[in-house]
Amino acid sequence: MARSTPKPKPISLALQGGGAHGAFTWGVLDRLCECETLDIQAITATSAGAMNAVAYVAGKQTGGREGARAALEAFWQEVSHRGAPLDALIPQGFGADMGAAHPFKALSPYAFATAMTAFLSPYDVNPFDINPLRAAVHDTIDFEAVRASPVKLFIAATNVETGKVRIFSDGDVTAEAVLASACLPHTFKAVEIDGTPYWDGGYLGNPSLFPLFYADTPRDVVLVTLNPLERKGTPRNAAQIQDRLNEITFNASLLGELRSIAFVQKLLEQNWLAKTVQRRYRKLNIHAVRGGEMLRELRLETKFDTSWTFLTGLRDKGRDFAEAWLDTCHDQVGKRSSIDLHETFLDD
């Protein structure tokens, strides 16, 4: 008798935000769409990660794996198209050569906009709240398909008034929820949902992992990171200082949650919890596609580079990293973590 095909291994994804660097995550998802031995059943995501998540889910719901790939490409094409007027102002090759000091850096739109935020807010310079991302999200993503999908979605945003994280899930996942998750307060007006203002979710959850603890989701969590954790040397100039502060700020919440996970996992492994308490927790297997290590050499302003060459270059890198992860870690899914949390994320 012919052997039956084994069921795909269920996994959850945790997708970091990072502006245009989210095109790296597009590449990771594009490669995972081709892997028929894994089944993505839940995604927790923030900012650009949230946009990748809803594009993937909507496309898969209407067209399967190939539909997901097509939806992701359509979304990023629209992002590039909407950002074209700004990219035209950036000197040629600016996005492709991030490591070098560009002679026109001081004249770039990003540098000018950054200087403006020191004394002007988006309420001053953008009274009509023009947001190219809004058009890209509305024009390319079918949110009815998102809400009809069996994939569980958890989208993080920051409640401006309370300073607490808000997780949008199920029927609450709308275009406005996704835009709230990606709302940088120096760039866009706060996104109001039912009268409550929200900012980028990365301040409190980049991404938020705790929704995966309490929902009925796969215990294998694949984290896709965009921000480097470590950067040798002391930043000396204003741009370097701002870059490093941005990385530390948007990694802080994730590191806090990973530290909590590592602590609980140790308690479970050592049987230090009473049986009645153990039933309230479950052991998670943690895996990671660490894009931040590759993206370390890119300056902060590249998160605003929407040129198609730059975005597709990051996509291709994401595919390469996903391929490497599949080669080395796929067999451990469903059995054990493929990374040591302390060694990878927490140890000094």
Side-chain angles (χ1 to χ4, degrees), residues 1-6:
M1 295 179 62
R3 292 183 180 179
S4 60
T5 303

Side-chain angles (χ1 to χ4, degrees), residues 84-198:
L86 178 61
D87 290 331
L89 299 176
I90 301 175
Q92 188 174 5
F94 187 77
D97 186 19
M98 295 303 151
H102 199 284
F104 297 107
K105 182 183 176 186
L107 302 177
S108 73
Y110 173 81
F112 177 75
T114 300
M116 292 285 284
T117 60
F119 53 91
L120 292 174
S121 83
Y123 294 85
D124 299 315
V125 299
N126 188 12
F128 298 106
D129 198 22
I130 298 171
N131 183 350
L133 285 176
R134 179 176 287 111
V137 168
H138 279 285
D139 290 352
T140 63
I141 297 171
D142 181 351
F143 280 90
E144 290 299 322
V146 170
R147 289 186 284 273
S149 171
V151 178
K152 294 181 174 64
L153 272 181
F154 306 97
I155 305 301
T158 298
N159 185 315
V160 178
E161 296 176 331
T162 65
K164 297 178 180 179
V165 66
R166 163 77 186 273
I167 302 298
F168 294 90
S169 61
D170 300 324
D172 292 334
V173 178
T174 62
E176 291 306 296
V178 173
L179 291 166
S181 183
C183 180
L184 292 171
H186 291 300
T187 307
F188 304 116
K189 292 182 179 181
V191 176
E192 291 200 5
I193 300 175
D194 297 329
T196 301
Y198 293 95

Side-chain angles (χ1 to χ4, degrees), residues 174-231:
T174 62
E176 291 306 296
V178 173
L179 291 166
S181 183
C183 180
L184 292 171
H186 291 300
T187 307
F188 304 116
K189 292 182 179 181
V191 176
E192 291 200 5
I193 300 175
D194 297 329
T196 301
Y198 293 95
W199 283 339
D200 195 293
Y203 295 110
L204 298 175
N206 194 23
S208 288
L209 301 180
F210 72 86
L212 301 177
F213 305 163
Y214 305 111
D216 182 19
T217 59
R219 70 175 190 169
D220 281 87
V221 180
V222 181
L223 175 63
V224 182
T225 66
L226 298 179
N227 290 325
L229 293 175
E230 185 175 345
R231 188 180 292 277

Side-chain angles (χ1 to χ4, degrees), residues 45-69:
T46 298
S47 196
M51 295 183 179
N52 275 314
V54 293
Y56 167 84
V57 168
K60 191 169 188 293
Q61 177 66 15
T62 57
R65 293 174 182 269
E66 288 304 311
R69 296 183 68 196

